[in-house]
Amino acid sequence: MKVLRLRMAKLMLLGVLLVNLIFLYYTWNTLFWRRISRVLAGDEMEPKAPPKLTPKEKVRNANKHIRKSITIVFYGHYNFEQDLRASIDSILDVIPNMPILVLQEGGTEYAYPPVSYERNLTAGEDQTVTFLNLAFDVRHTRQELDPLAAIRTKYALLMPDSVRLNSKNLLQKILREINTIGVAGAQAQPKEQRVAVPPEETVRRMVLVPFAGNLKSFSSCARMRMDLPNWTLEIVATNDSRRCDLFLQKHAILLDVAALGAMPEPFALPFPEMLYIQAKIANLSTTVFSHAFQEGRRLFASFHTKQRRMELRRRQFREMYKRLQIKRIVRRAYTVLGKPPARESSWQFHQGVLDAQFSSSNMSLPLVTDIDLFGCERTTKSCIGTVYNNRPFYSYLDKHTPPCCLDKLRTTFNHVLEEFENVGIRYWLDNNALKSAVETNAISPDAYDIDISFNVHDLERSNAMKKSQSKPYVDNEGFYWIKATDGHYFRVQFSKPNQVGVNLLPYEIKGAEVRASGFFGWKASTFAADFLHPMSTVLFLGKSVMCPNNVLEYLEAKHIKVQSQDMAMDD
């Protein structure tokens, strides 16, 4: 019995061994033929792990990625004092063969003395610095004159003069910032997630990189509002970097070259203010980066170079306002009331120039509003120009009367009103000016003159009108009184060259009628004398001005339709 059990155990052990041998045979056979098939197909028998890169190879790959993605563009410098050579060297020392484009404005005040750059090239280093003059040259093609044609990367880094690049880390970070967009995470993941932007998609965003030397005591960001129909640019200081339409202190700008190409003139002066205005109109968003570039050599330290640069900046801003048809600048800044901005640095705020000292960063200070008007003055011609068929030229451009002209028109009206009230001339506000007073108590945004009618028998009471009957008369405050050549009415202009003014229309009361005395046209209509007995008043430009009674019926009799029935009149 014992022998039988041993035999059974041996048989069971032998069976297990046979099963294992058969399993091992088929497994080995299967793997063997797989190896043979891979060899015959030309594939490796086993996937190799990627080789480890040396530190030099990692640096080389990172530099290659930056060079293929970004072109550094220097623009906005002044040749009479610049730090371009040292700035370019600091970049090429960190990233050899980095594509660099230096744009030079064409005027002699910018391009002289000329700037040249030569670098002692080391092994494996090429000449990648290009200088391009933006001046018109009939010998060159349009493609050769186009600065964007010289940029062959997706992004352009618009760099100011005098910078020192210590490492490539900052360039890698801003490249990663513009190549990705933030996506809000779920409730379980409140942290913002970043998603890569497709390479073929145009990035409609600008990454603003400040400099370490920027002043912390002044605000860096400002919001802009363009009101082109009213010729107005409004700039409001803010510390909110999420709403930065205009960066006021020194900085670099990284943006998509395709977005630059969509602008009408991205490299127009003053730079970068003109670029920001075009970006605002194109609805490009901005991101202020948290890290900063290092400053280079301090520029414009002497009084002479500082004044020379500021004079060029004033010219640039005047030309920009003229091209954009901006006549009014509204600035809202945080500052101490009655205290002018500091003038220690080379920046200034004068004659419409925007600078780093625009506003204090202390938002507990009062928000002060300043308004500057650019355009017609006492020694210049009116911005309105010659009017044909009662329609100025700007009405065809869907614009209102320039604010500088409206301001001069208010000043002239107040001067005439003071003159009439001082000498006791019986007058009344008339025609479209009266219509505006009834509707809004203010002057119409489309007004280019104001009509005041008066009793012709009171003409001799005004010394200015008496003198202007024979020849034009300039009073003590510079206003120009003249008798019209197309009728016996008078006109008071802001000055002789500036023809913004007030029309003085003489009327004569004959019995129950009031008739025009010596002038013609649609304004010379006859109306009942009852409208002038008694007189009424209407609020206009902050003053109570004489006007006819039953003013709605009066205007209707003159075929002038009032849009609103709300009136601010005193009987």
Side-chain angles (χ1 to χ4, degrees), residues 348-361:
Q348 293 185 5
F349 192 99
H350 186 56
Q351 295 184 0
V353 178
L354 301 173
D355 73 337
Q357 298 183 5
F358 172 70
S359 170
S360 171
S361 59

Side-chain angles (χ1 to χ4, degrees), residues 7-178:
R7 287 179 179 175
M8 290 294 293
K10 290 180 179 179
L11 289 172
M12 291 177 64
L13 182 61
L14 182 61
V16 171
L17 289 174
L18 288 173
V19 171
N20 286 335
L21 287 172
I22 293 170
F23 177 75
L24 180 63
Y25 170 75
Y26 279 105
T27 303
W28 177 84
N29 193 33
T30 304
L31 294 175
F32 176 74
W33 285 108
R34 282 183 181 176
R35 290 193 188 99
I36 292 177
S37 62
R38 285 178 182 174
V39 172
L40 293 176
D43 297 335
E44 294 184 357
M45 294 179 63
E46 292 182 2
K48 293 183 180 180
K52 291 186 177 180
L53 298 176
T54 63
K56 286 186 177 180
E57 290 173 333
K58 291 182 179 178
V59 171
R60 192 179 300 114
N61 289 345
N63 290 346
K64 185 177 180 181
H65 177 60
I66 295 174
R67 288 195 297 264
K68 285 187 174 182
S69 303
I70 299 176
T71 297
I72 296 180
V73 181
F74 282 95
Y75 185 54
H77 54 276
Y78 298 85
N79 284 13
F80 57 85
E81 183 161 359
Q82 41 79 24
D83 190 37
L84 287 175
R85 295 183 182 87
S87 300
I88 295 173
D89 281 336
S90 73
I91 295 172
L92 295 180
D93 290 342
V94 175
I95 308 177
N97 296 331
M98 183 71 188
I100 297 176
L101 176 63
V102 181
L103 299 180
Q104 181 64 67
E105 190 62 28
T108 55
E109 61 270 27
Y110 302 100
Y112 186 83
V115 176
S116 60
Y117 176 79
E118 293 182 2
R119 180 176 175 83
N120 295 325
L121 302 178
T122 59
E125 193 173 0
D126 299 325
Q127 182 59 260
T128 58
V129 181
T130 305
F131 282 76
L132 180 63
N133 197 310
L134 297 180
F136 173 75
D137 192 338
V138 72
R139 298 167 296 179
H140 293 166
T141 65
R142 182 177 181 180
Q143 185 77 2
E144 292 172 337
L145 295 174
D146 183 12
L148 297 180
I151 303 175
R152 295 177 175 83
T153 55
K154 180 174 176 58
Y155 300 110
L157 180 59
L158 308 179
M159 184 74 73
D161 193 8
S162 191
V163 61
R164 296 296 181 268
L165 191 65
N166 299 325
S167 73
K168 64 180 179 300
N169 293 339
L170 183 53
L171 294 181
Q172 289 177 311
K173 290 177 180 178
I174 62 175
L175 186 57
R176 191 181 306 117
E177 172 68 28
I178 201 170

